Amino acid sequence: MTTTARHEAAIELDPTVPLVRITREFDAPPEKVYRAHVDPELIVRWLGPRGLEMSIDTWDCRTGGSYRYVQRRDDDEFGFRGTFHELRPGELIVQTFTFEGMPDGVALEKMVFEDLGNGRTRLVCTSLVDSFEDRDAFVASGMETGVVEGYERLDEVLESS
């Protein structure tokens, strides 16, 4: 039986620009953590909080491609979409992210996968939005719960794949 330490997600709000930075370590190599972010069969297993069912409408995961997915709980439905701007396997994802309930609020997201050695990865995600008001609404929407529970679920996917 493999025992994996659970890691905390650090969520920081930049005081000078409307940016959220999330840092989290994983007990898996960068290539495996990256794959879990780009493989639609894996991403539906971990992205977002527990209790939501996810389906993918579009997933063209390449530089210049786009995505759209929907998360559901009971009668509630939440759509998200964006464009992949740059993909470097095991290293980097740059994409846009829009919650369809707030279609004017587009975030530019950058995910950097840092090899810590010994099969471990540090993932640093930054999300830049247009205003502090948009950033604070993003955070108030339940983002922290989604991040914490999503990354716990990602730990489970990484252990089993």
Side-chain angles (χ1 to χ4, degrees), residues 78 80 99 102 134-146:
F78 311 97
F80 303 88
F99 167 51
M102 296 173 46
D134 285 353
R135 183 202 61 194
D136 295 345
F138 182 58
V139 172
S141 72
M143 178 210 76
E144 183 175 359
T145 299

Side-chain angles (χ1 to χ4, degrees), residues 4 8 14 20 23 28 38 48 50-51 55 65 75-76 78-79 91 102 104 112 114 126 129-131 136 148 153 157:
T4 303
E8 297 290 321
D14 192 300
V20 177
T23 305
V38 299
R50 296 183 189 280
S55 63
D75 292 331
D76 295 325
F78 311 97
E91 295 177 19
M102 296 173 46
D104 295 337
V112 177
E114 180 184 347
T126 55
V129 296
D130 288 336
S131 68
D136 295 345
V148 170
R153 294 172 65 200
V157 168

Side-chain angles (χ1 to χ4, degrees), residues 58-108:
T58 305
W59 195 263
D60 183 11
C61 193
R62 62 177 175 83
T63 298
S66 63
Y67 67 90
R68 182 177 187 274
Y69 60 87
V70 176
Q71 293 181 324
R72 293 177 185 82
R73 178 182 307 143
D74 301 322
D75 292 331
D76 295 325
E77 187 172 285
F78 311 97
F80 303 88
R81 60 184 160 82
T83 302
F84 296 107
H85 288 265
E86 181 71 27
L87 293 147
R88 293 185 209 147
E91 295 177 19
L92 176 74
I93 298 171
V94 179
Q95 66 185 30
T96 59
F97 174 86
T98 301
F99 167 51
E100 292 177 350
M102 296 173 46
D104 295 337
V106 178
L108 177 61

Side-chain angles (χ1 to χ4, degrees), residues 34-46 56 59 61:
Y34 177 89
R35 180 172 172 253
H37 282 77
V38 299
D39 183 333
E41 291 180 16
L42 295 177
I43 206 157
V44 297
R45 293 174 48 197
W46 71 266
I56 294 179
W59 195 263
C61 193

